[in-house]
Amino acid sequence: MDLGIGLPVTGPQASPEEIVRVAQAAERAGLGAVWAYERLLRPAEPWMLGLEQVIPLPEDSASVYDPLETLAYLAARTSTIRLGTTVVDALFHPPVVLAKRLATLDRLSGGRVWAGLGQGWMKQEFEAAGVPVRRRGAGFAEHVEAMRACWGPDPVSFSGRFYTIPESGIGPKPTGLTLLGGAAAPPAVERVAGLGLGLTTVVFDWDQLGHGVEAYRKAGGAGPLVIQVNGTVSERPLDERAPLTGSPEQVAGDLARARALGADHVVWQPIGFETDGLVERIAQINTY
């Protein structure tokens, strides 16, 4: 199991210079990966698919750097650290277009890409992308199948309910691309397992995480497990804290539980908090 950090792709710290600084610092510190995520917009009226309550987004989340362009920028400025997305909303992109972009990034980076794919959850993003919300589920599964067809031997062809690719030559082909599915609810986790994807999931509490991982394994999931922490590693201990947050000593203790669940990677996503010193605190955990 290794550790990683989300890049400062939004908020007051977001800039090309800061993104490069964090990525290079993470590589020097021996971290396993840096991560970016996708958000098309910040709606004026936040809304979350499938739930009654609205989910307010941070005020500065209207501006988010595109994850694939960001990671391509870093591919030329790093050498060994993995470059990950958690997540790209696959349904907002035609399969042949996203397949080509991911394969290109994988080739440019020397096979260092871990691509986390999600179904999307925000109604307004579906509207802006011109994709019906009802395409979630079966449409996501077909999207992954269509991309895999693009990465197979030429001539490529695909015919499904939602997507069609005429017999064609399509390239480049990826060399080391690792696919992950972003999921938390049991049906989504089981779908990810059925597609042969690794799992990337956000931890809110240990019971929720354990149930999700158990559902993934029972459904045959055998890929990498990436745990995302929407919190921080602090300089000082915390009395009340979420899993994998608090001081480096507290987090180091929690990592034993993550290992017991079979985690391959833990990433701290700095949404809403500063990255100053965070790389160093994550690296410090390795000394405990």
Side-chain angles (χ1 to χ4, degrees), residues 243-279:
L244 295 161
T245 65
S247 69
E249 295 88 347
Q250 289 174 318
V251 173
D254 282 356
L255 286 176
R257 298 185 71 169
R259 290 190 189 94
L261 289 171
D264 295 278
H265 184 82
V266 176
V267 51
W268 283 265
Q269 185 64 260
I271 300 174
F273 57 89
E274 295 186 353
T275 56
D276 287 345
L278 183 56
V279 170

PDB file of all heavy atoms in Angstrom, residues 243-279:
ATOM      1  N   PRO A 243     -12.163   9.022   9.654  1.00  0.00           N
ATOM      2  CA  PRO A 243     -11.096   8.057   9.371  1.00  0.00           C
ATOM      3  C   PRO A 243      -9.979   8.662   8.528  1.00  0.00           C
ATOM      4  O   PRO A 243     -10.225   9.450   7.615  1.00  0.00           O
ATOM      5  CB  PRO A 243     -11.825   6.956   8.601  1.00  0.00           C
ATOM      6  CG  PRO A 243     -13.234   7.031   9.057  1.00  0.00           C
ATOM      7  CD  PRO A 243     -13.494   8.497   9.283  1.00  0.00           C
ATOM      8  N   LEU A 244      -8.755   8.316   8.894  1.00  0.00           N
ATOM      9  CA  LEU A 244      -7.563   8.689   8.140  1.00  0.00           C
ATOM     10  C   LEU A 244      -7.321  10.196   8.122  1.00  0.00           C
ATOM     11  O   LEU A 244      -6.711  10.734   7.204  1.00  0.00           O
ATOM     12  CB  LEU A 244      -7.628   8.129   6.712  1.00  0.00           C
ATOM     13  CG  LEU A 244      -7.608   6.595   6.650  1.00  0.00           C
ATOM     14  CD1 LEU A 244      -8.129   6.102   5.313  1.00  0.00           C
ATOM     15  CD2 LEU A 244      -6.187   6.078   6.880  1.00  0.00           C
ATOM     16  N   THR A 245      -7.805  10.879   9.159  1.00  0.00           N
ATOM     17  CA  THR A 245      -7.501  12.292   9.351  1.00  0.00           C
ATOM     18  C   THR A 245      -6.912  12.466  10.745  1.00  0.00           C
ATOM     19  O   THR A 245      -6.945  11.556  11.571  1.00  0.00           O
ATOM     20  CB  THR A 245      -8.756  13.171   9.200  1.00  0.00           C
ATOM     21  OG1 THR A 245      -9.692  12.858  10.248  1.00  0.00           O
ATOM     22  CG2 THR A 245      -9.436  12.959   7.860  1.00  0.00           C
ATOM     23  N   GLY A 246      -6.379  13.648  10.987  1.00  0.00           N
ATOM     24  CA  GLY A 246      -5.739  13.911  12.270  1.00  0.00           C
ATOM     25  C   GLY A 246      -4.241  14.062  12.092  1.00  0.00           C
ATOM     26  O   GLY A 246      -3.745  14.360  10.998  1.00  0.00           O
ATOM     27  N   SER A 247      -3.498  13.865  13.158  1.00  0.00           N
ATOM     28  CA  SER A 247      -2.049  14.000  13.101  1.00  0.00           C
ATOM     29  C   SER A 247      -1.441  12.823  12.334  1.00  0.00           C
ATOM     30  O   SER A 247      -2.090  11.784  12.150  1.00  0.00           O
ATOM     31  CB  SER A 247      -1.477  14.018  14.520  1.00  0.00           C
ATOM     32  OG  SER A 247      -1.627  12.735  15.120  1.00  0.00           O
ATOM     33  N   PRO A 248      -0.185  12.960  11.878  1.00  0.00           N
ATOM     34  CA  PRO A 248       0.461  11.826  11.218  1.00  0.00           C
ATOM     35  C   PRO A 248       0.443  10.556  12.058  1.00  0.00           C
ATOM     36  O   PRO A 248       0.257   9.451  11.530  1.00  0.00           O
ATOM     37  CB  PRO A 248       1.890  12.327  10.984  1.00  0.00           C
ATOM     38  CG  PRO A 248       1.737  13.810  10.830  1.00  0.00           C
ATOM     39  CD  PRO A 248       0.656  14.180  11.814  1.00  0.00           C
ATOM     40  N   GLU A 249       0.610  10.709  13.381  1.00  0.00           N
ATOM     41  CA  GLU A 249       0.581   9.527  14.251  1.00  0.00           C
ATOM     42  C   GLU A 249      -0.798   8.874  14.259  1.00  0.00           C
ATOM     43  O   GLU A 249      -0.920   7.639  14.215  1.00  0.00           O
ATOM     44  CB  GLU A 249       0.978   9.924  15.678  1.00  0.00           C
ATOM     45  CG  GLU A 249       2.418  10.412  15.819  1.00  0.00           C
ATOM     46  CD  GLU A 249       2.551  11.917  15.582  1.00  0.00           C
ATOM     47  OE1 GLU A 249       1.597  12.543  15.079  1.00  0.00           O
ATOM     48  OE2 GLU A 249       3.629  12.450  15.909  1.00  0.00           O
ATOM     49  N   GLN A 250      -1.852   9.685  14.326  1.00  0.00           N
ATOM     50  CA  GLN A 250      -3.215   9.137  14.304  1.00  0.00           C
ATOM     51  C   GLN A 250      -3.519   8.473  12.970  1.00  0.00           C
ATOM     52  O   GLN A 250      -4.107   7.387  12.920  1.00  0.00           O
ATOM     53  CB  GLN A 250      -4.218  10.253  14.587  1.00  0.00           C
ATOM     54  CG  GLN A 250      -4.217  10.752  16.014  1.00  0.00           C
ATOM     55  CD  GLN A 250      -5.134  11.944  16.199  1.00  0.00           C
ATOM     56  OE1 GLN A 250      -5.169  12.855  15.365  1.00  0.00           O
ATOM     57  NE2 GLN A 250      -5.885  11.958  17.303  1.00  0.00           N
ATOM     58  N   VAL A 251      -3.116   9.112  11.886  1.00  0.00           N
ATOM     59  CA  VAL A 251      -3.367   8.538  10.563  1.00  0.00           C
ATOM     60  C   VAL A 251      -2.592   7.247  10.379  1.00  0.00           C
ATOM     61  O   VAL A 251      -3.110   6.274   9.819  1.00  0.00           O
ATOM     62  CB  VAL A 251      -3.014   9.562   9.467  1.00  0.00           C
ATOM     63  CG1 VAL A 251      -3.096   8.917   8.086  1.00  0.00           C
ATOM     64  CG2 VAL A 251      -3.938  10.767   9.538  1.00  0.00           C
ATOM     65  N   ALA A 252      -1.349   7.217  10.854  1.00  0.00           N
ATOM     66  CA  ALA A 252      -0.550   5.999  10.729  1.00  0.00           C
ATOM     67  C   ALA A 252      -1.247   4.820  11.419  1.00  0.00           C
ATOM     68  O   ALA A 252      -1.225   3.696  10.922  1.00  0.00           O
ATOM     69  CB  ALA A 252       0.841   6.212  11.318  1.00  0.00           C
ATOM     70  N   GLY A 253      -1.881   5.094  12.553  1.00  0.00           N
ATOM     71  CA  GLY A 253      -2.626   4.037  13.220  1.00  0.00           C
ATOM     72  C   GLY A 253      -3.817   3.565  12.404  1.00  0.00           C
ATOM     73  O   GLY A 253      -4.114   2.368  12.339  1.00  0.00           O
ATOM     74  N   ASP A 254      -4.503   4.503  11.756  1.00  0.00           N
ATOM     75  CA  ASP A 254      -5.656   4.146  10.926  1.00  0.00           C
ATOM     76  C   ASP A 254      -5.256   3.326   9.707  1.00  0.00           C
ATOM     77  O   ASP A 254      -6.056   2.536   9.186  1.00  0.00           O
ATOM     78  CB  ASP A 254      -6.382   5.407  10.451  1.00  0.00           C
ATOM     79  CG  ASP A 254      -7.264   6.013  11.529  1.00  0.00           C
ATOM     80  OD1 ASP A 254      -7.378   5.412  12.618  1.00  0.00           O
ATOM     81  OD2 ASP A 254      -7.838   7.083  11.276  1.00  0.00           O
ATOM     82  N   LEU A 255      -4.048   3.529   9.217  1.00  0.00           N
ATOM     83  CA  LEU A 255      -3.640   2.834   7.994  1.00  0.00           C
ATOM     84  C   LEU A 255      -3.634   1.320   8.160  1.00  0.00           C
ATOM     85  O   LEU A 255      -3.792   0.586   7.178  1.00  0.00           O
ATOM     86  CB  LEU A 255      -2.266   3.327   7.540  1.00  0.00           C
ATOM     87  CG  LEU A 255      -2.237   4.721   6.911  1.00  0.00           C
ATOM     88  CD1 LEU A 255      -0.810   5.126   6.598  1.00  0.00           C
ATOM     89  CD2 LEU A 255      -3.087   4.774   5.650  1.00  0.00           C
ATOM     90  N   ALA A 256      -3.469   0.853   9.390  1.00  0.00           N
ATOM     91  CA  ALA A 256      -3.531  -0.598   9.612  1.00  0.00           C
ATOM     92  C   ALA A 256      -4.913  -1.130   9.246  1.00  0.00           C
ATOM     93  O   ALA A 256      -5.042  -2.231   8.685  1.00  0.00           O
ATOM     94  CB  ALA A 256      -3.198  -0.914  11.068  1.00  0.00           C
ATOM     95  N   ARG A 257      -5.960  -0.353   9.533  1.00  0.00           N
ATOM     96  CA  ARG A 257      -7.321  -0.775   9.171  1.00  0.00           C
ATOM     97  C   ARG A 257      -7.509  -0.750   7.659  1.00  0.00           C
ATOM     98  O   ARG A 257      -8.190  -1.605   7.090  1.00  0.00           O
ATOM     99  CB  ARG A 257      -8.355   0.119   9.850  1.00  0.00           C
ATOM    100  CG  ARG A 257      -8.318   0.065  11.364  1.00  0.00           C
ATOM    101  CD  ARG A 257      -9.431   0.873  12.009  1.00  0.00           C
ATOM    102  NE  ARG A 257     -10.748   0.259  11.823  1.00  0.00           N
ATOM    103  CZ  ARG A 257     -11.848   0.650  12.457  1.00  0.00           C
ATOM    104  NH1 ARG A 257     -11.781   1.648  13.335  1.00  0.00           N
ATOM    105  NH2 ARG A 257     -13.003   0.052  12.236  1.00  0.00           N
ATOM    106  N   ALA A 258      -6.912   0.238   7.002  1.00  0.00           N
ATOM    107  CA  ALA A 258      -7.003   0.304   5.545  1.00  0.00           C
ATOM    108  C   ALA A 258      -6.285  -0.882   4.913  1.00  0.00           C
ATOM    109  O   ALA A 258      -6.789  -1.493   3.955  1.00  0.00           O
ATOM    110  CB  ALA A 258      -6.411   1.618   5.049  1.00  0.00           C
ATOM    111  N   ARG A 259      -5.124  -1.229   5.453  1.00  0.00           N
ATOM    112  CA  ARG A 259      -4.405  -2.408   4.929  1.00  0.00           C
ATOM    113  C   ARG A 259      -5.215  -3.675   5.122  1.00  0.00           C
ATOM    114  O   ARG A 259      -5.249  -4.550   4.254  1.00  0.00           O
ATOM    115  CB  ARG A 259      -3.049  -2.548   5.628  1.00  0.00           C
ATOM    116  CG  ARG A 259      -2.022  -1.504   5.279  1.00  0.00           C
ATOM    117  CD  ARG A 259      -0.658  -1.866   5.834  1.00  0.00           C
ATOM    118  NE  ARG A 259       0.300  -0.781   5.689  1.00  0.00           N
ATOM    119  CZ  ARG A 259       0.560   0.119   6.616  1.00  0.00           C
ATOM    120  NH1 ARG A 259      -0.050   0.059   7.793  1.00  0.00           N
ATOM    121  NH2 ARG A 259       1.450   1.069   6.407  1.00  0.00           N
ATOM    122  N   ALA A 260      -5.866  -3.792   6.276  1.00  0.00           N
ATOM    123  CA  ALA A 260      -6.655  -4.995   6.560  1.00  0.00           C
ATOM    124  C   ALA A 260      -7.812  -5.141   5.580  1.00  0.00           C
ATOM    125  O   ALA A 260      -8.257  -6.266   5.300  1.00  0.00           O
ATOM    126  CB  ALA A 260      -7.177  -4.946   7.995  1.00  0.00           C
ATOM    127  N   LEU A 261      -8.301  -4.037   5.033  1.00  0.00           N
ATOM    128  CA  LEU A 261      -9.369  -4.082   4.034  1.00  0.00           C
ATOM    129  C   LEU A 261      -8.828  -4.382   2.644  1.00  0.00           C
ATOM    130  O   LEU A 261      -9.618  -4.555   1.702  1.00  0.00           O
ATOM    131  CB  LEU A 261     -10.118  -2.754   4.009  1.00  0.00           C
ATOM    132  CG  LEU A 261     -11.011  -2.463   5.219  1.00  0.00           C
ATOM    133  CD1 LEU A 261     -11.511  -1.025   5.166  1.00  0.00           C
ATOM    134  CD2 LEU A 261     -12.184  -3.431   5.264  1.00  0.00           C
ATOM    135  N   GLY A 262      -7.512  -4.403   2.497  1.00  0.00           N
ATOM    136  CA  GLY A 262      -6.912  -4.699   1.200  1.00  0.00           C
ATOM    137  C   GLY A 262      -6.611  -3.476   0.370  1.00  0.00           C
ATOM    138  O   GLY A 262      -6.448  -3.580  -0.857  1.00  0.00           O
ATOM    139  N   ALA A 263      -6.507  -2.308   0.992  1.00  0.00           N
ATOM    140  CA  ALA A 263      -6.244  -1.086   0.235  1.00  0.00           C
ATOM    141  C   ALA A 263      -4.886  -1.145  -0.434  1.00  0.00           C
ATOM    142  O   ALA A 263      -3.892  -1.591   0.155  1.00  0.00           O
ATOM    143  CB  ALA A 263      -6.318   0.129   1.150  1.00  0.00           C
ATOM    144  N   ASP A 264      -4.836  -0.674  -1.660  1.00  0.00           N
ATOM    145  CA  ASP A 264      -3.577  -0.556  -2.392  1.00  0.00           C
ATOM    146  C   ASP A 264      -3.028   0.860  -2.339  1.00  0.00           C
ATOM    147  O   ASP A 264      -1.825   1.067  -2.514  1.00  0.00           O
ATOM    148  CB  ASP A 264      -3.778  -0.959  -3.859  1.00  0.00           C
ATOM    149  CG  ASP A 264      -4.143  -2.422  -4.009  1.00  0.00           C
ATOM    150  OD1 ASP A 264      -3.223  -3.253  -3.983  1.00  0.00           O
ATOM    151  OD2 ASP A 264      -5.346  -2.732  -4.129  1.00  0.00           O
ATOM    152  N   HIS A 265      -3.919   1.826  -2.120  1.00  0.00           N
ATOM    153  CA  HIS A 265      -3.492   3.218  -2.161  1.00  0.00           C
ATOM    154  C   HIS A 265      -4.486   4.047  -1.356  1.00  0.00           C
ATOM    155  O   HIS A 265      -5.695   3.802  -1.404  1.00  0.00           O
ATOM    156  CB  HIS A 265      -3.454   3.713  -3.615  1.00  0.00           C
ATOM    157  CG  HIS A 265      -2.940   5.113  -3.776  1.00  0.00           C
ATOM    158  ND1 HIS A 265      -1.598   5.421  -3.809  1.00  0.00           N
ATOM    159  CD2 HIS A 265      -3.602   6.295  -3.936  1.00  0.00           C
ATOM    160  CE1 HIS A 265      -1.454   6.723  -3.984  1.00  0.00           C
ATOM    161  NE2 HIS A 265      -2.653   7.266  -4.052  1.00  0.00           N
ATOM    162  N   VAL A 266      -3.984   5.038  -0.626  1.00  0.00           N
ATOM    163  CA  VAL A 266      -4.820   6.005   0.092  1.00  0.00           C
ATOM    164  C   VAL A 266      -4.441   7.391  -0.407  1.00  0.00           C
ATOM    165  O   VAL A 266      -3.258   7.751  -0.435  1.00  0.00           O
ATOM    166  CB  VAL A 266      -4.624   5.911   1.615  1.00  0.00           C
ATOM    167  CG1 VAL A 266      -5.441   6.994   2.323  1.00  0.00           C
ATOM    168  CG2 VAL A 266      -5.022   4.533   2.128  1.00  0.00           C
ATOM    169  N   VAL A 267      -5.450   8.188  -0.807  1.00  0.00           N
ATOM    170  CA  VAL A 267      -5.195   9.525  -1.335  1.00  0.00           C
ATOM    171  C   VAL A 267      -5.955  10.552  -0.503  1.00  0.00           C
ATOM    172  O   VAL A 267      -7.130  10.366  -0.188  1.00  0.00           O
ATOM    173  CB  VAL A 267      -5.596   9.627  -2.825  1.00  0.00           C
ATOM    174  CG1 VAL A 267      -7.002   9.120  -3.074  1.00  0.00           C
ATOM    175  CG2 VAL A 267      -5.473  11.065  -3.328  1.00  0.00           C
ATOM    176  N   TRP A 268      -5.258  11.621  -0.127  1.00  0.00           N
ATOM    177  CA  TRP A 268      -5.889  12.742   0.566  1.00  0.00           C
ATOM    178  C   TRP A 268      -6.211  13.814  -0.462  1.00  0.00           C
ATOM    179  O   TRP A 268      -5.323  14.282  -1.187  1.00  0.00           O
ATOM    180  CB  TRP A 268      -4.961  13.293   1.653  1.00  0.00           C
ATOM    181  CG  TRP A 268      -4.947  12.424   2.859  1.00  0.00           C
ATOM    182  CD1 TRP A 268      -5.705  12.562   3.990  1.00  0.00           C
ATOM    183  CD2 TRP A 268      -4.143  11.256   3.073  1.00  0.00           C
ATOM    184  NE1 TRP A 268      -5.428  11.551   4.887  1.00  0.00           N
ATOM    185  CE2 TRP A 268      -4.469  10.735   4.353  1.00  0.00           C
ATOM    186  CE3 TRP A 268      -3.183  10.590   2.318  1.00  0.00           C
ATOM    187  CZ2 TRP A 268      -3.867   9.600   4.881  1.00  0.00           C
ATOM    188  CZ3 TRP A 268      -2.580   9.453   2.822  1.00  0.00           C
ATOM    189  CH2 TRP A 268      -2.922   8.969   4.098  1.00  0.00           C
ATOM    190  N   GLN A 269      -7.488  14.177  -0.545  1.00  0.00           N
ATOM    191  CA  GLN A 269      -7.964  15.129  -1.550  1.00  0.00           C
ATOM    192  C   GLN A 269      -8.130  16.494  -0.903  1.00  0.00           C
ATOM    193  O   GLN A 269      -9.026  16.686  -0.076  1.00  0.00           O
ATOM    194  CB  GLN A 269      -9.297  14.643  -2.121  1.00  0.00           C
ATOM    195  CG  GLN A 269      -9.837  15.486  -3.265  1.00  0.00           C
ATOM    196  CD  GLN A 269      -8.936  15.451  -4.480  1.00  0.00           C
ATOM    197  OE1 GLN A 269      -8.167  16.384  -4.686  1.00  0.00           O
ATOM    198  NE2 GLN A 269      -9.012  14.404  -5.264  1.00  0.00           N
ATOM    199  N   PRO A 270      -7.287  17.476  -1.253  1.00  0.00           N
ATOM    200  CA  PRO A 270      -7.346  18.786  -0.581  1.00  0.00           C
ATOM    201  C   PRO A 270      -8.425  19.692  -1.144  1.00  0.00           C
ATOM    202  O   PRO A 270      -8.156  20.769  -1.673  1.00  0.00           O
ATOM    203  CB  PRO A 270      -5.944  19.347  -0.842  1.00  0.00           C
ATOM    204  CG  PRO A 270      -5.573  18.779  -2.168  1.00  0.00           C
ATOM    205  CD  PRO A 270      -6.182  17.397  -2.217  1.00  0.00           C
ATOM    206  N   ILE A 271      -9.684  19.247  -1.033  1.00  0.00           N
ATOM    207  CA  ILE A 271     -10.803  20.085  -1.448  1.00  0.00           C
ATOM    208  C   ILE A 271     -11.204  20.958  -0.258  1.00  0.00           C
ATOM    209  O   ILE A 271     -11.693  20.452   0.748  1.00  0.00           O
ATOM    210  CB  ILE A 271     -11.997  19.233  -1.910  1.00  0.00           C
ATOM    211  CG1 ILE A 271     -11.587  18.344  -3.093  1.00  0.00           C
ATOM    212  CG2 ILE A 271     -13.184  20.115  -2.280  1.00  0.00           C
ATOM    213  CD1 ILE A 271     -12.667  17.360  -3.505  1.00  0.00           C
ATOM    214  N   GLY A 272     -10.968  22.244  -0.372  1.00  0.00           N
ATOM    215  CA  GLY A 272     -11.377  23.139   0.697  1.00  0.00           C
ATOM    216  C   GLY A 272     -10.327  23.366   1.767  1.00  0.00           C
ATOM    217  O   GLY A 272     -10.610  24.018   2.769  1.00  0.00           O
ATOM    218  N   PHE A 273      -9.113  22.824   1.586  1.00  0.00           N
ATOM    219  CA  PHE A 273      -8.056  23.151   2.542  1.00  0.00           C
ATOM    220  C   PHE A 273      -6.738  23.280   1.804  1.00  0.00           C
ATOM    221  O   PHE A 273      -6.573  22.812   0.685  1.00  0.00           O
ATOM    222  CB  PHE A 273      -7.954  22.109   3.670  1.00  0.00           C
ATOM    223  CG  PHE A 273      -7.715  20.697   3.200  1.00  0.00           C
ATOM    224  CD1 PHE A 273      -6.430  20.211   3.007  1.00  0.00           C
ATOM    225  CD2 PHE A 273      -8.785  19.837   2.973  1.00  0.00           C
ATOM    226  CE1 PHE A 273      -6.216  18.906   2.597  1.00  0.00           C
ATOM    227  CE2 PHE A 273      -8.577  18.533   2.566  1.00  0.00           C
ATOM    228  CZ  PHE A 273      -7.294  18.060   2.380  1.00  0.00           C
ATOM    229  N   GLU A 274      -5.787  23.942   2.424  1.00  0.00           N
ATOM    230  CA  GLU A 274      -4.542  24.277   1.748  1.00  0.00           C
ATOM    231  C   GLU A 274      -3.613  23.080   1.659  1.00  0.00           C
ATOM    232  O   GLU A 274      -3.629  22.190   2.505  1.00  0.00           O
ATOM    233  CB  GLU A 274      -3.848  25.425   2.486  1.00  0.00           C
ATOM    234  CG  GLU A 274      -4.627  26.734   2.439  1.00  0.00           C
ATOM    235  CD  GLU A 274      -3.855  27.873   3.047  1.00  0.00           C
ATOM    236  OE1 GLU A 274      -2.776  27.623   3.623  1.00  0.00           O
ATOM    237  OE2 GLU A 274      -4.325  29.021   2.945  1.00  0.00           O
ATOM    238  N   THR A 275      -2.775  23.091   0.614  1.00  0.00           N
ATOM    239  CA  THR A 275      -1.813  22.008   0.414  1.00  0.00           C
ATOM    240  C   THR A 275      -0.463  22.300   1.063  1.00  0.00           C
ATOM    241  O   THR A 275       0.398  21.416   1.082  1.00  0.00           O
ATOM    242  CB  THR A 275      -1.588  21.763  -1.085  1.00  0.00           C
ATOM    243  OG1 THR A 275      -1.163  22.985  -1.704  1.00  0.00           O
ATOM    244  CG2 THR A 275      -2.864  21.282  -1.748  1.00  0.00           C
ATOM    245  N   ASP A 276      -0.271  23.505   1.581  1.00  0.00           N
ATOM    246  CA  ASP A 276       1.022  23.844   2.183  1.00  0.00           C
ATOM    247  C   ASP A 276       1.355  22.866   3.304  1.00  0.00           C
ATOM    248  O   ASP A 276       0.604  22.712   4.273  1.00  0.00           O
ATOM    249  CB  ASP A 276       0.993  25.265   2.742  1.00  0.00           C
ATOM    250  CG  ASP A 276       1.007  26.321   1.648  1.00  0.00           C
ATOM    251  OD1 ASP A 276       1.331  25.965   0.505  1.00  0.00           O
ATOM    252  OD2 ASP A 276       0.688  27.484   1.945  1.00  0.00           O
ATOM    253  N   GLY A 277       2.482  22.203   3.172  1.00  0.00           N
ATOM    254  CA  GLY A 277       2.930  21.253   4.190  1.00  0.00           C
ATOM    255  C   GLY A 277       2.264  19.903   4.131  1.00  0.00           C
ATOM    256  O   GLY A 277       2.683  18.981   4.845  1.00  0.00           O
ATOM    257  N   LEU A 278       1.236  19.738   3.297  1.00  0.00           N
ATOM    258  CA  LEU A 278       0.501  18.477   3.300  1.00  0.00           C
ATOM    259  C   LEU A 278       1.339  17.329   2.736  1.00  0.00           C
ATOM    260  O   LEU A 278       1.304  16.211   3.264  1.00  0.00           O
ATOM    261  CB  LEU A 278      -0.802  18.614   2.509  1.00  0.00           C
ATOM    262  CG  LEU A 278      -1.719  17.396   2.486  1.00  0.00           C
ATOM    263  CD1 LEU A 278      -2.079  16.950   3.902  1.00  0.00           C
ATOM    264  CD2 LEU A 278      -2.994  17.695   1.697  1.00  0.00           C
ATOM    265  N   VAL A 279       2.095  17.580   1.677  1.00  0.00           N
ATOM    266  CA  VAL A 279       2.952  16.536   1.120  1.00  0.00           C
ATOM    267  C   VAL A 279       3.912  16.031   2.182  1.00  0.00           C
ATOM    268  O   VAL A 279       4.104  14.816   2.348  1.00  0.00           O
ATOM    269  CB  VAL A 279       3.734  17.056  -0.103  1.00  0.00           C
ATOM    270  CG1 VAL A 279       4.807  16.057  -0.517  1.00  0.00           C
ATOM    271  CG2 VAL A 279       2.800  17.313  -1.270  1.00  0.00           C
TER     272      VAL A 279
END
